[in-house]
């Protein structure tokens, strides 16, 4: 008993000492930092008091209530309309188009109705080489001087070549619009094609071409075009090694002279005033030669089969069909856009939500159920008058026969009325619309869209019209356009252990209506 009383006395003494020390620290802090009314108010509430279970003596407004003394700027009116695309056609047929997008920077691009489809057997690969030769030496400046001028204004230059178009673009602060326009026009109109620069780029092209077979996706897409089309779109986009020895500065000069003519050129820009762009560009482009419309390049879809045997642990296979009418058939092209979102797909490892296609048919019905499938994705490549749509999938060689069977089933099912649900269609349409709107938040994409649409339709159609077309797609439209595309000849391409890939005629029989 005595020992217990002694322990209690010691414990009481220790607690008294700690309380005295705490009071001393508190009074010393108050002497150093005098408390104000605001400090008292803040100390009586807040997150710490909430954790300690104390009640606040000052009322805290709800998050949806305005704060006293805080004045917010007026909200934007609801009737704001997007900027219109203004287009001016010069006397020689060249078109200048722009949209004034808010922001401190601007993008300017020259789009040319010329690509690999315009090449002849004597200049195959010219478009690919022209992409490499962009922004090299011109009549007015050396390559070194051009790079210095671009660095001085902090601009970003880019060139791309495709089956139907060439594009030269520049992106910089708006105040450097005159410099961007002048550099672009000089690079397109006055290239020197110095032989030593051409040979340097040819050597790089040779190395790039030699390594294309190590990139199966690029090889598959190139093969689908060469096997599926005869004529313009069947021409290789990547310069084949066999044609490199025929390419030189003279061939490039002739190709540019024949194809870079005023009626086939659009100068597009976003983030600039149209009048400013017109005043800068017209003196530089008004004297560009105007010639008659070129002879249309004939392209015929025939279907076909391409196989490349490669020692690889994975085998790639693609099945594709024609999109008749291309972008100029707006109803079918919009339905095909929704169809691609509906099929969707991706890789076996994919992070993200619905935007990554994880609720699409190929993901839920193929990738989630079959661990042997490494990837399965729907794709489309639509051009002005035709196009391709299909599925590209990857697995080990021994599973390829089953994978091809699955791909055929998925394509046939979307062509069968009643197989696609209204919820799937609604999700696919929302995905297609959101993807388009998010892409159009970029000035570069806006500029590309302006140039491409004017070369295709002769005008830029508002995005609201595209959204209306997408929203109008019905389940019947999906089934109808699916039946229409599988009624065209089959195109197949495979890479890897192609011995395991089923015969072309056996696969084609699966789609006979």
């Amino acid at each position: 008993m005595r020992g217990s009383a002694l322990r209690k006395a010691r414990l009481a003494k220790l607690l008294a000492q700690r309380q005295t020390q705490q009071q001393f620290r508190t009074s010393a802090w108050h002497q150093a930092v005098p408390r104000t009314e605001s400090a008292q108010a803040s100390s009586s509430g807040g997150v710490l008091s909430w954790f300690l279970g104390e009640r606040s003596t000052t009322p805290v407004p709800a998050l949806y209530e305005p704060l006293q003394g805080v004045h917010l700027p007026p909200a934007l009116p609801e009737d704001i309309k997007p900027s219109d695309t203004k287009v001016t056609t010069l006397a020689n047929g060249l078109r200048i188009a722009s949209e004034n997008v808010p922001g401190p920077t601007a993008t300017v691009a020259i789009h040319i109705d010329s690509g690999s489809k315009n090449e002849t057997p004597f200049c195959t690969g010219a478009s690919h080489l022209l992409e490499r030769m962009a922004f090299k030496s011109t009549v007015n400046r050396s390559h070194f001087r051009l790079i210095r001028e671009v660095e001085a204004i902090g601009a970003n230059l880019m060139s791309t070549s495709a089956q139907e178009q060439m594009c030269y673009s520049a992106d910089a602060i708006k105040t450097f619009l005159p410099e961007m326009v002048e550099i672009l026009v000089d690079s397109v109109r006055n290239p020197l094609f110095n032989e030593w620069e051409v040979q340097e780029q040819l050597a790089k092209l040779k190395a790039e071409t030699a390594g294309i077979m190590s990139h199966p996706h690029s090889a598959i897409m190139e093969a689908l075009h060469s096997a599926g089309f005869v004529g313009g779109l069947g021409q290789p986009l990547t310069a084949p090694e066999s044609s490199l020895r025929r390419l030189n500065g003279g061939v490039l000069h002739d190709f540019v002279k024949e194809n870079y003519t005023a009626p086939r050129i659009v100068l597009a820009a976003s983030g600039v005033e149209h009048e400013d762009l017109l005043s800068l560009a017209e003196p530089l482009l008004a004297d560009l030669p105007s010639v008659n419309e070129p002879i249309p390049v004939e392209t015929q879809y025939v279907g076909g089969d391409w196989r490349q045997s490669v020692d690889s642990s994975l085998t790639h296979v693609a099945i594709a069909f024609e999109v008749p009418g291309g972008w100029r058939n707006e109803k079918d092209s919009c339905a095909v856009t929704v169809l691609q979102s509906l099929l969707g797909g991706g890789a076996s490892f994919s992070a993200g939500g619905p935007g990554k296609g994880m609720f699409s048919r190929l993901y839920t019905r193929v990738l989630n159920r079959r661990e042997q499938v490494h990837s399965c994705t729907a794709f489309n490549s639509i051009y002005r008058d035709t196009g391709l749509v299909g599925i590209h999938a990857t697995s080990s060689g021994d599973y390829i026969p089953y994978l091809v069977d699955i791909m055929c089933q998925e394509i046939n099912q979307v062509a069968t009325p009643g197989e696609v649900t209204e919820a799937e269609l609604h999700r696919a349409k929302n995905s297609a619309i959101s993807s388009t709107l998010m892409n159009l938040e970029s000035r570069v994409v806006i500029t590309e869209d302006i140039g491409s649409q004017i070369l295709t339709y002769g005008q830029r159609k508002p995005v609201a019209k595209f959204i209306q077309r997408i929203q109008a797609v019905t389940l019947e439209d999906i089934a109808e356009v699916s039946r229409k595309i599988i009624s065209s000849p089959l195109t197949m391409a495979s890479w890897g252990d192609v011995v395991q890939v089923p015969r072309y005629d056996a696969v084609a029989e699966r789609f006979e209506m």
Side-chain angles (χ1 to χ4, degrees):
M1 294 291 294
R2 182 178 179 185
S4 176
L6 184 60
R7 284 195 298 272
K8 289 181 179 179
R10 289 177 180 174
L11 181 60
K13 183 178 180 181
L14 180 61
L15 290 175
Q17 290 177 351
R18 290 186 177 179
Q19 187 175 7
T20 303
Q21 292 174 356
Q22 182 67 28
Q23 291 176 352
F24 175 77
R25 291 186 188 134
T26 304
S27 85
W29 183 84
H30 282 301
Q31 292 177 4
V33 183
R35 294 184 65 154
T36 61
E37 293 300 325
S38 60
Q40 293 174 3
S42 63
S43 66
S44 61
V47 178
L48 182 59
S49 299
W50 182 81
F51 275 114
L52 295 176
E54 299 177 3
R55 285 196 170 190
S56 173
T57 58
T58 57
V60 179
L63 293 177
Y64 55 84
E65 295 180 1
L67 296 175
Q68 296 182 359
V70 177
H71 302 285
L72 299 177
L76 292 174
E78 297 181 357
D79 59 346
I80 287 183
K81 297 181 180 179
S83 301
D84 294 329
T85 301
K86 299 180 180 180
V87 183
T88 299
T89 303
L90 303 184
N92 58 2
L94 187 144
R95 286 158 290 186
I96 299 175
S98 67
E99 179 180 331
N100 191 8
V101 180
T105 57
T107 301
V108 185
I110 294 179
H111 293 263
I112 304 162
D113 180 18
S114 173
S116 60
K117 73 170 188 177
N118 300 97
E119 297 170 358
T120 65
F122 302 101
C123 63
T124 302
S127 298
H128 193 186
L129 182 56
L130 281 172
E131 177 187 340
R132 289 278 189 172
M133 290 298 299
F135 310 113
K136 294 295 189 290
S137 300
T138 70
V139 174
N140 301 307
R141 46 168 66 87
S142 66
H143 176 59
F144 178 78
R145 177 185 168 186
L146 188 148
I147 294 301
R148 286 296 191 185
E149 291 182 9
V150 171
E151 290 175 342
I153 64 175
N156 179 38
L157 301 180
M158 185 171 58
S159 64
T160 56
S161 62
Q163 280 84 358
E164 292 187 317
Q165 292 181 22
M166 288 284 299
C167 179
Y168 303 78
S169 64
D171 188 76
I173 298 176
K174 288 182 177 182
T175 53
F176 296 116
L177 178 62
E179 288 84 352
M180 285 194 290
V181 172
E182 199 277 330
I183 288 174
L184 281 175
V185 173
D186 187 33
S187 297
V188 172
R189 290 199 60 179
N190 308 307
L192 271 183
F193 298 132
N194 290 323
E195 197 59 36
W196 64 269
E197 290 181 326
V198 174
Q199 293 302 320
E200 179 184 11
Q201 296 306 316
L202 282 172
K204 294 181 180 179
L205 277 185
K206 186 176 182 179
E208 181 180 337
T209 303
I212 191 173
M213 283 305 163
S214 61
H215 298 85
H217 185 272
S218 300
I220 287 284
M221 294 308 298
E222 185 91 346
L224 287 173
H225 286 77
S226 62
F229 294 104
V230 171
L233 292 177
Q235 297 279 1
L237 179 60
T238 302
E241 189 173 356
S242 59
S243 69
L244 295 182
R245 67 176 67 94
R246 294 194 297 267
L247 295 176
N248 53 50
V251 172
L252 296 184
H253 269 295
D254 294 340
F255 186 84
V256 168
K257 183 178 179 180
E258 181 179 354
N259 294 284
Y260 287 27
T261 56
R264 298 168 62 181
I265 294 178
V266 173
L267 176 65
S270 62
V272 303
E273 291 287 348
H274 187 72
E275 292 73 17
D276 296 340
L277 179 65
L278 187 60
S279 64
L280 293 169
E282 186 172 9
L284 300 173
L285 296 169
D287 61 335
L288 197 66
S290 177
V291 298
N292 296 329
E293 287 293 324
I295 299 175
V297 178
E298 295 294 334
T299 297
Q300 181 183 3
Y301 179 79
V302 295
D305 189 16
W306 179 93
R307 304 184 181 213
Q308 178 67 44
S309 180
V310 178
D311 184 12
S312 173
S313 60
L314 294 178
T315 299
H316 295 250
V317 63
I319 295 175
F321 300 90
E322 184 189 17
V323 181
W327 284 120
R328 289 176 176 167
N329 183 353
E330 293 185 35
K331 181 180 178 181
D332 284 355
S333 62
C334 288
V336 169
T337 302
V338 176
L339 176 62
Q340 182 194 357
S341 297
L342 178 72
L343 291 171
S348 56
F349 176 79
S350 180
K356 296 286 294 219
M358 296 181 72
F359 286 91
S360 61
R361 291 178 69 90
L362 293 182
Y363 216 108
T364 57
R365 296 163 59 90
V366 180
L367 289 164
N368 283 353
R369 298 180 182 180
R370 296 169 176 85
E371 61 183 13
Q372 300 92 337
V373 181
H374 288 249
S375 68
C376 188
T377 307
F379 67 89
N380 72 48
S381 298
I382 305 179
Y383 304 100
R384 291 178 197 168
D385 302 305
T386 185
L388 289 173
V389 61
I391 298 177
H392 174 204
T394 308
S395 74
S396 58
D398 56 351
Y399 195 75
I400 279 294
Y402 307 100
L403 181 56
V404 172
D405 184 63
I406 292 169
M407 295 163 68
C408 295
Q409 290 178 11
E410 293 300 321
I411 295 175
N412 280 322
Q413 284 189 346
V414 294
T416 305
E419 286 293 330
V420 179
T421 66
E422 194 67 45
E424 288 177 315
L425 177 64
H426 184 68
R427 185 184 295 116
K429 291 195 289 188
N430 285 344
S431 177
I433 292 172
S434 65
S435 176
T436 300
L437 294 178
M438 285 188 289
N439 286 333
L440 288 176
E441 292 178 1
S442 165
R443 290 184 323 279
V444 176
V445 176
I446 291 175
T447 307
E448 179 185 351
D449 186 56
I450 293 173
S452 298
Q453 285 207 41
I454 292 178
L455 287 177
T456 301
Y457 304 116
Q459 61 174 326
R460 191 196 183 200
K461 299 184 178 182
V463 66
K465 179 177 257 188
F466 172 79
I467 293 175
Q468 290 174 359
R469 287 276 190 183
I470 294 295
Q471 291 175 335
V473 174
T474 63
L475 292 173
E476 292 75 18
D477 294 333
I478 292 295
E480 180 183 352
V481 77
S482 298
R483 289 194 297 269
K484 186 181 296 186
I485 63 175
I486 64 176
S487 66
S488 65
L490 169 69
T491 299
M492 284 184 64
S494 50
W495 181 99
D497 185 8
V498 297
V499 175
Q500 303 288 342
V501 179
R503 296 195 327 270
Y504 174 86
D505 55 347
V507 179
E509 289 176 357
R510 298 290 303 275
F511 300 101
E512 292 181 356
M513 302 295 291

